[in-house]
Amino acid sequence: MKLLPISLAIGTLLISPFSLAKTVNVVASFTVLADIVKQIGGEQVQVKSLVGPNGDPHTFEPTPQDSQALAQADVVFISGLGLEGWMDRLVSASGYKGQPVIASAGITTRSMEEGVSASPIHTRGTACKMA
């Protein structure tokens, strides 16, 4: 169910007359999302991941080449939910004309107790409790 927005967006691109003329040029914010897009799109898509393997999307700093990749993209996929805090600025600076596909659209997040993190990485040894 979580892949539905991504699948629908890629499916729409693949069956459109636009996609019959050329390979769809896709930019994804990070490697996991890029892998999903590539698996669904197959040979019909050329995918570039902005954040490389073992990179951290929280601390990623885009380069001029990343801006250029967005400017040339047919479609851009992002995770959303604040993971790519730098993406709005990058999209604006790049001149990308489309609307990024947000993979987390329609996902209901779980609420957390105040001061408690969902990730052990972020808690530095503090136990996590889901509300």
Side-chain angles (χ1 to χ4, degrees):
M1 190 66 167
K2 292 180 182 179
L3 296 179
L4 185 59
I6 297 170
S7 298
L8 290 174
I10 293 173
T12 301
L13 283 170
L14 295 178
I15 61 172
S16 73
F18 172 72
S19 69
L20 297 176
K22 68 172 193 147
T23 301
V24 179
N25 188 17
V26 178
V27 172
S29 58
F30 66 108
T31 55
V32 173
L33 197 51
D35 289 343
I36 292 169
V37 171
K38 184 63 179 168
Q39 288 299 313
I40 295 170
E43 294 178 7
Q44 305 295 330
V45 296
Q46 177 66 40
V47 183
K48 174 184 176 27
S49 177
L50 295 176
V51 179
N54 299 318
D56 184 350
H58 296 98
T59 60
F60 176 71
E61 294 185 21
T63 66
Q65 291 80 12
D66 295 326
S67 181
Q68 184 177 22
L70 253 69
Q72 297 172 352
D74 296 315
V75 64
V76 174
F77 287 88
I78 65 172
S79 176
L81 296 175
L83 179 66
E84 306 96 339
W86 40 267
M87 186 56 91
D88 288 342
R89 294 183 309 275
L90 181 59
V91 167
S92 177
S94 73
Y96 175 68
K97 302 292 185 217
Q99 184 67 30
V101 176
I102 303 171
S104 61
I107 302 295
T108 303
T109 60
R110 297 181 72 180
S111 61
M112 303 294 297
E113 292 180 25
E114 188 173 324
V116 177
S117 174
S119 170
I121 295 170
H122 295 143
T123 60
R124 306 270 185 231
T126 305
C128 296
K129 296 190 292 186
M130 299 296 282

